[in-house]
Amino acid sequence: MSHQKGKKIVIKIGSNVLTQSDGTPDRERMAALVDQISFLREKELQVILITSGAVAYGRKSFSLIEKTDAVVQKQILSAIGQVELIQAYKQLFLEKTVPVAQIMVTKSDFRDRKHYLNMKGCLEGLLKNKVLPVINENDTVSVTELMFTDNDELAGLVAAMMDAHTLIILSNVDGIFNGHPDHPETELIERVAPNSPSLSHFIAASKSSFGRGGMITKMNMAKKSANLGIEVLIANGKRENVLIDYYHNKLKCTYFEPGKAKLNPKKWIAHSDHYSKGEVVINQGAEKALNSGQTVSLLPVGILAIHGDFIKGEVVRIIAEDGRKIGLGKAAYGAKVAQEKLGLNNQKPLVHYDYLYLFDHSA
Ligand SMILES: Nc1ncnc2c1ncn2[C@@H]1O[C@H](COP(=O)(O)OP(=O)(O)O)[C@@H](O)[C@H]1O
Ligand SMILES: N[C@@H](CCC(=O)OP(=O)(O)O)C(=O)O
């Protein structure tokens, strides 16, 4: 693995990496990671940081005085903790003369193309100006269904959006093990080839004390990102010199080999399942054509039904006759026009090939 100048790396740090076992902030660990990120920047790699820890920091710095609803509690703690978290990063990066910027996002910011491009433009501007973007989910407004599964999902979305070369997920384990990491006989899975079968049977539902999603989301997100051409490493952020070892290609971790990179616009579509506004049911002929490996767009002649409402530019879910989810695509026109063209020949594609993403059923 060589590290070209300008290589874009997204690094995600989990809550557990930044806290000690009793939940108090682990300043030493944060300082060590700040040093290492600064080292990568000195080597002229571009880094985007996704960091969890707001709730954990808030919990340790503030005690609620009134009986408060659990959801509001989390909102309060994250709002309080985020200030502490970013303050701690700012102070430490200042010592390294690295300017930082705080970016708080919600799932809806990935919902439409406009928000998405605005966010991307801002991050690109920051990188160009050599500012380190420090991203976290805006937990004060993201509750229940508006939430990302966790920051691993957010990190995958950001890596795809920014066309990153590498995504490094730092947790409190060395990677994915072929059993529970606490069992002595389990071994670290060091390499995962593109399109290899799911590893979910190895993963216990347990998660670390402050984590939200657990290893399953990390694995799903890592596979998806690798299929989009991004190399993904799940590694132990508590390990000394984890990022330096990454730089010197000697990191012990789970490495997801990147698949062949696909066309760029497809990356945001691949991550848009939750945001799709409508469904397009296609016939068997259309399904076969789309899966043929050829450059095929989705034409109205192969569409059996349109469900839900969507406008031009929004993402639609593509469904087989028997209800299987086949893929996602950006609609070239809205649901109303699509209804009129249903089953007709010689019509403009509803989803152009460049904006069509088919699910990989091995993931
Ligand atoms: N097969 C496995 N390999 C590695 N970790 C596993 C496995 N099964 C369960 N886990 C658990 O997943 C946890 C990491 O996920 P999570 O709690 O979400 O961390 P983070 O806070 O870093 O996002 C580990 O601490 C570990 O206990
Ligand atoms: N936005 C939350 C992050 C929640 C989360 O995803 O945590 P983790 O599983 O540790 O990455 C916080 O800062 O506390």
Side-chain angles (χ1 to χ4, degrees):
M1 218 191 299
S2 72
H3 302 290
Q4 291 152 310
K5 217 166 117 174
K7 181 173 176 178
K8 228 177 265 166
I9 306 177
V10 172
I11 299 173
K12 184 259 171 174
I13 306 182
S15 313
N16 297 287
V17 178
L18 299 173
T19 44
Q20 309 183 67
S21 48
D22 63 355
T24 51
D26 189 344
R27 280 288 284 223
E28 238 173 74
R29 181 59 30 216
M30 186 192 263
L33 289 166
V34 163
D35 283 357
Q36 295 173 63
I37 291 170
S38 306
F39 166 85
L40 296 179
R41 282 173 49 103
E42 279 159 23
K43 296 291 177 194
E44 299 199 54
L45 307 188
Q46 301 190 76
V47 179
I48 297 170
L49 181 60
I50 317 281
T51 186
S52 300
V55 174
Y57 267 58
R59 198 171 284 146
K60 282 293 156 186
S61 70
F62 184 78
S63 309
L64 291 147
I65 44 176
E66 293 283 336
K67 198 164 175 265
T68 312
D69 164 82
V71 174
V72 179
Q73 253 187 51
K74 207 202 89 196
Q75 290 173 296
I76 293 174
L77 294 180
S78 65
I80 293 169
Q82 180 65 25
V83 183
E84 310 259 339
L85 184 69
I86 199 76
Q87 183 78 23
Y89 274 119
K90 187 170 165 59
Q91 243 172 30
L92 292 166
F93 275 116
L94 194 66
E95 288 166 23
K96 297 276 159 191
T97 62
V98 173
V100 298
Q102 171 180 260
I103 292 130
M104 306 294 292
V105 298
T106 65
K107 206 167 180 172
S108 1
D109 294 321
F110 286 84
R111 180 166 283 150
D112 74 35
R113 189 86 177 130
K114 229 179 242 166
H115 275 215
Y116 181 89
L117 290 174
N118 288 344
M119 192 163 37
K120 185 173 175 188
C122 173
L123 288 173
E124 280 170 351
L126 289 168
L127 290 181
K128 238 186 238 161
N129 285 284
K130 306 222 178 306
V131 180
L132 175 78
V134 181
I135 309 176
N136 194 0
E137 180 173 11
N138 188 348
D139 295 311
T140 56
V141 291
S142 303
V143 289
T144 56
E145 78 283 354
L146 293 175
M147 268 163 46
F148 295 105
T149 316
D150 58 17
N151 270 349
D152 301 314
E153 185 190 3
L154 170 59
L157 286 165
V158 170
M161 173 173 77
M162 296 305 288
D163 212 8
H165 186 274
T166 309
L167 169 59
I168 303 177
I169 303 285
L170 296 180
S171 186
N172 61 347
V173 278
D174 286 340
I176 304 182
F177 288 80
N178 62 359
H180 196 282
D182 292 345
H183 295 166
E185 70 278 12
T186 56
E187 281 170 11
L188 182 67
I189 299 167
E190 296 198 29
R191 213 170 173 91
V192 183
N195 302 319
S196 60
S198 168
L199 308 171
S200 57
H201 56 286
F202 289 133
I203 300 172
S206 73
K207 48 188 176 215
S208 48
S209 37
F210 301 101
R212 195 198 282 167
M215 196 46 83
I216 290 268
T217 24
K218 284 188 219 317
M219 189 270 299
N220 286 334
M221 186 280 301
K223 288 205 80 191
K224 199 166 183 175
S225 302
N227 284 344
L228 294 172
I230 303 166
E231 61 169 11
V232 185
L233 295 87
I234 299 181
N236 194 339
K238 291 276 191 197
R239 217 174 232 280
E240 274 325 296
N241 294 324
V242 55
L243 296 174
I244 310 286
D245 285 352
Y246 155 72
Y247 186 78
H248 294 301
N249 298 322
K250 53 177 196 183
L251 178 60
K252 198 167 152 30
C253 66
T254 300
Y255 177 78
F256 292 77
E257 280 173 50
K260 249 171 74 195
K262 294 187 185 147
L263 275 174
N264 230 351
K266 296 196 177 183
K267 290 190 179 173
W268 74 275
I269 296 168
H271 286 284
S272 302
D273 197 7
H274 302 298
Y275 321 121
S276 48
K277 298 276 173 74
E279 282 187 0
V280 175
V281 184
I282 64 170
N283 65 25
Q284 283 177 4
E287 182 183 351
K288 213 168 144 198
L290 295 184
N291 283 321
S292 66
Q294 309 290 313
T295 324
V296 175
S297 298
L298 176 59
L299 297 165
V301 67
I303 301 176
L304 295 170
I306 305 277
H307 301 304
D309 198 18
F310 53 88
I311 57 168
K312 179 181 170 182
E314 286 184 332
V315 173
V316 292
R317 224 174 255 167
I318 301 165
I319 310 285
E321 264 186 274
D322 58 9
R324 272 172 303 114
K325 283 204 273 176
I326 295 176
L328 298 162
K330 187 177 104 165
Y333 37 86
K336 235 183 181 169
V337 180
Q339 284 286 7
E340 287 163 12
K341 295 179 187 283
L342 213 72
L344 299 182
N345 265 313
N346 304 323
Q347 301 293 322
K348 192 179 156 196
L350 174 61
V351 178
H352 186 273
Y353 173 75
D354 283 351
Y355 297 102
L356 175 71
Y357 174 77
L358 299 174
F359 294 131
D360 166 12
H361 289 286
S362 68

